[in-house]
């Protein structure tokens, strides 16, 4: 006869007590030690699986786009190419969401969370893969990267060739990681041809954007929230011309926020995980600093404020100092030499290149027309409220709402502090522009201000959803009690009026699929070749440069090309 112990304290086994229970060889001691390790390995394995799915998805659309048969300089062909990419993006995305819906119905929804996790990762990869596929279409028939050997592209190609051959680059302060990466990639895959290799890295860099930003936000948020509140705002900045600079920004924000969160908890951490975690953050920041350092300068004051605010002054000053010390040591090991160069040479390096945005209102940052804006009417666009548009008003309201709802959360405070820091640095540099006749790249703070503002807007929805979840839990707990008259009870979700979590997840994924597909198409379209003085001139020039074998690219206009390519873009530069 079997005796059920459920709900019966009298027959429930009593756990052992005393010294024997905690002896090194006891099952309780060994199981307690193994459980966190198994859980950590399981979480690490799932995160690696997410990463693998995200990067595989990011490569799918660029590989498919290589087989398109069209002339990338023809506008109808460009539209057809974008539609073809969109069709494949939508079909793959719908299959993924269908798998999530199927997982909800099978085996009691046991695999629903895993399917959701992998679908969120795949959508992040597919979205940036869309932009990479757009770059593939734009550069069909030419081996050259966007802009060929002109402008920044030409300088990067030249400097990468120099460092790959053991020579100094043309600029000691330029971040070395992109140059060494391009140089070695060219040696391995293109026989040292850094120009042709740069085309590959423009496409691969754009494809890697989504998976990298998704994985960075996974340090802080669950899969769907990381996709919605971290990845989506980042797509306002995705760039297939020089993808590494914007990628550093969208990674730096969540990494610094995660570091501040870890600092806050460091007072109660064990010494070994504390030091390893600090060293890990320092090494990652070192790699990002070597890739693009400008965002560090504009973020420094805000991050310092957040670090002092959340330093464990009461719970463990020594551990907090050890955490920061290990992070600093690892950062210096990785990027110390370049930091010294920046501190020495950065003082004498001046930027005298006045661009389009240097002649506009410095308080306007919501859109950037790039260095080659093409035909421009009133700029900034006139707004409804004192010259300020609705988008700006919504951004500022959301910023205030985010601080109101998340004043005690390091996630909100750190991002808001980075926004303020970039704003102050922008105005400080711009205020000295007339005196020094230098611009020092202050307009690039546009990207940081926009990204932080969009994140704070998105996180308002995150904070509100958390409040609703708390209320739902409380309502379900109240509603779970049986009716006083003994009538059969309804499901809690029906009684409280809240939809199920599964429906919310599937609906959110559908909305994000359409949003990311639309945004990615727009960001791809701005790089479709055209002779209009905007960023579309970059791939246009690539089709007009004579190849190294002396032939013209396949779709060169009228079959004509030259050594430097079409130089009409110079007439658009102020």
């Amino acid at each position: 006869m079997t005796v059920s112990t459920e709900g019966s304290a009298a027959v429930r086994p009593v756990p052992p007590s005393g010294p024997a229970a905690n002896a090194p060889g006891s099952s309780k001691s060994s199981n307690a030690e193994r459980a966190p390790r198994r859980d950590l390995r399981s979480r690490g394995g799932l995160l690696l699986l997410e990463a693998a799915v995200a990067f595989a998805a990011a490569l799918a659309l660029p590989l498919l786009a290589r087989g398109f048969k069209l002339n990338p300089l023809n506008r109808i062909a460009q539209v057809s190419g974008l539609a073809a990419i969109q069709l494949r993006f939508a079909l793959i995305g719908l299959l993924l969401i269908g798998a999530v819906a199927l997982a909800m119905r099978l085996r009691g929804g046991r695999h629903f969370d895993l399917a959701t996790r992998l679908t969120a990762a795949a959508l992040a990869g597919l979205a940036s893969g869309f932009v990479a596929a757009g770059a593939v279409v734009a550069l069909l028939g030419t081996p050259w990267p966007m802009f060929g050997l002109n402008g920044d592209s030409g300088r990067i190609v030249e400097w990468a060739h120099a460092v790959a051959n053991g020579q100094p680059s043309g600029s000691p302060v330029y971040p070395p990681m992109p140059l060494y990466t391009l140089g070695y990639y060219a040696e391995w895959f293109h026989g040292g041809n850094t120009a042709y290799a740069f085309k590959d890295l423009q496409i691969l860099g754009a494809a890697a954007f989504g998976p990298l930003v998704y994985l960075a936000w996974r340090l802080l948020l669950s899969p769907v929230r990381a996709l919605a509140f971290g990845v989506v705002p980042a797509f306002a900045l995705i760039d297939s011309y020089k993808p590494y600079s914007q990628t550093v920004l969208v990674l730096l924000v969540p990494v610094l926020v995660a570091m501040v969160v870890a600092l806050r908890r460091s007072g109660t951490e064990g010494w070994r995980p504390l030091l390893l975690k600090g060293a890990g953050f320092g090494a990652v920041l070192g790699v990002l600093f070597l890739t693009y350092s400008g965002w560090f300068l504009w973020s420094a004051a805000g991050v310092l404020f957040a670090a002092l605010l959340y330093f464990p002054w009461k719970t463990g000053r020594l551990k907090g100092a050890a955490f920061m010390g290990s992070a600093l040591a690892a950062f210096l090991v990785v990027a110390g030499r370049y930091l010294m160069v920046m501190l020495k040479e950065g003082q004498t390096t001046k930027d005298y290149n006045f661009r389009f945005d240097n002649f506009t209102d410095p308080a306007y940052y919501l859109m950037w027309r790039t260095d080659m804006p093409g035909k421009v009417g009133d700029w900034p666009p006139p707004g409804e409220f004192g010259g300020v548009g609705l988008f700006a008003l919504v951004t500022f309201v959301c910023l205030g709402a985010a601080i109101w709802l998340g004043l005690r959360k390091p996630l909100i405070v750190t991002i808001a502090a980075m926004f303020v820091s970039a704003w102050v640095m922008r105005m400080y540099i711009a205020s000295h522009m007339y005196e020094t006749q230098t611009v020092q790249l202050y307009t690039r703070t546009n990207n940081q201000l926009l990204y932080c503002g969009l994140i704070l807007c998105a996180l308002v929805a995150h904070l509100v959803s958390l409040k609703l979840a708390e209320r739902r839990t409380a309502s379900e707990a109240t509603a779970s009690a049986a009716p006083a008259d003994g009538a059969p009870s309804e499901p809690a979700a029906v009684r409280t009026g809240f939809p199920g979590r599964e429906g919310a997840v599937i609906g959110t994924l559908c909305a994000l699929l359409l949003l990311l597909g639309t945004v990615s198409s727009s960001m791809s379209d701005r790089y479709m070749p055209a002779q209009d003085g905007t960023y579309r001139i970059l791939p246009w020039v690539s089709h007009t440069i004579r190849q190294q074998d002396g032939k013209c690219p396949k779709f060169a206009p009228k079959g004509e090309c030259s050594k430097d390519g079409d130089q009409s873009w110079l007439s658009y530069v102020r």
Side-chain angles (χ1 to χ4, degrees), residues 377-396:
D378 291 339
W379 192 263
E384 297 83 4
F385 178 74
V388 177
L390 180 61
F391 179 56
L393 295 177
V394 171
T395 302
F396 295 142

Side-chain angles (χ1 to χ4, degrees), residues 55 58-59 62 124-125 127-133 135-136 178 181-182 185 197-213 235 237-248 250-251 291:
F55 282 108
L59 294 176
S128 59
F130 192 133
V131 179
V136 171
T181 301
L182 175 56
Y185 180 89
F198 194 34
K199 173 187 174 179
D200 289 358
L201 292 189
Q202 286 177 336
I203 295 168
L204 292 174
F209 182 92
L212 289 174
V213 67
F235 269 71
L237 306 176
I238 190 170
D239 181 14
S240 53
Y241 175 43
K242 292 190 300 180
Y244 55 88
S245 62
Q246 309 302 338
T247 302
V248 170
V250 298
L251 295 181
T291 306

Side-chain angles (χ1 to χ4, degrees), residues 185-385:
Y185 180 89
E187 291 290 336
W188 296 334
F189 297 104
H190 286 274
N193 188 331
T194 52
Y196 288 3
F198 194 34
K199 173 187 174 179
D200 289 358
L201 292 189
Q202 286 177 336
I203 295 168
L204 292 174
F209 182 92
L212 289 174
V213 67
Y214 172 79
L215 293 172
W217 279 101
R218 286 288 285 113
L219 297 172
L220 299 161
L221 300 171
S222 63
V224 176
R225 291 176 186 269
L227 181 65
F229 307 137
V231 174
V232 169
F235 269 71
L237 306 176
I238 190 170
D239 181 14
S240 53
Y241 175 43
K242 292 190 300 180
Y244 55 88
S245 62
Q246 309 302 338
T247 302
V248 170
L249 171 60
V250 298
L251 295 181
L252 184 64
V253 173
V255 168
L256 287 175
V257 172
M259 185 176 178
V260 171
V261 172
L263 174 63
R264 186 189 193 187
R265 300 171 178 168
S266 62
T268 57
E269 285 267 13
W271 280 103
R272 184 179 179 185
L274 174 80
L275 296 175
L276 289 175
K277 193 176 293 184
F281 277 113
V284 170
L285 291 174
V287 171
L288 294 178
F289 187 76
L290 291 174
T291 306
Y292 194 83
S293 57
W295 316 119
F296 286 79
L297 172 63
W298 300 319
S299 304
V303 175
L304 177 61
F305 168 79
L308 292 174
L309 182 64
Y310 291 106
F311 189 86
W313 300 105
K314 295 181 179 180
T315 58
R317 297 183 184 180
L318 182 60
K319 287 187 173 181
F323 175 82
M324 295 304 296
S326 62
L328 178 61
F331 177 84
L332 292 177
V333 168
V334 174
R337 180 179 298 180
Y338 177 57
L339 177 62
M340 295 303 295
V341 171
M342 288 292 294
L343 293 175
K344 180 181 178 181
E345 302 288 343
Q347 301 297 322
T348 58
T349 301
K350 304 295 182 182
D351 178 14
Y352 300 100
N353 186 15
F354 282 78
R355 304 169 181 83
F356 168 76
D357 274 4
N358 298 125
F359 298 93
T360 63
D361 179 5
Y364 185 79
Y365 65 88
L366 296 167
M367 284 192 293
W368 187 46
R369 288 297 301 262
T370 75
D371 299 344
M372 293 181 294
K375 296 179 180 179
V376 179
D378 291 339
W379 192 263
E384 297 83 4
F385 178 74

Side-chain angles (χ1 to χ4, degrees), residues 3 19 138 188 236 389 445 499 512 568:
V3 179
W188 296 334
T445 55
L512 292 177
S568 62

Side-chain angles (χ1 to χ4, degrees), residues 521-535:
S521 184
S522 175
M523 300 305 280
S524 299
D525 187 38
R526 75 171 183 166
Y527 285 105
M528 288 299 161
Q531 199 178 18
D532 62 358
T534 67
Y535 259 20

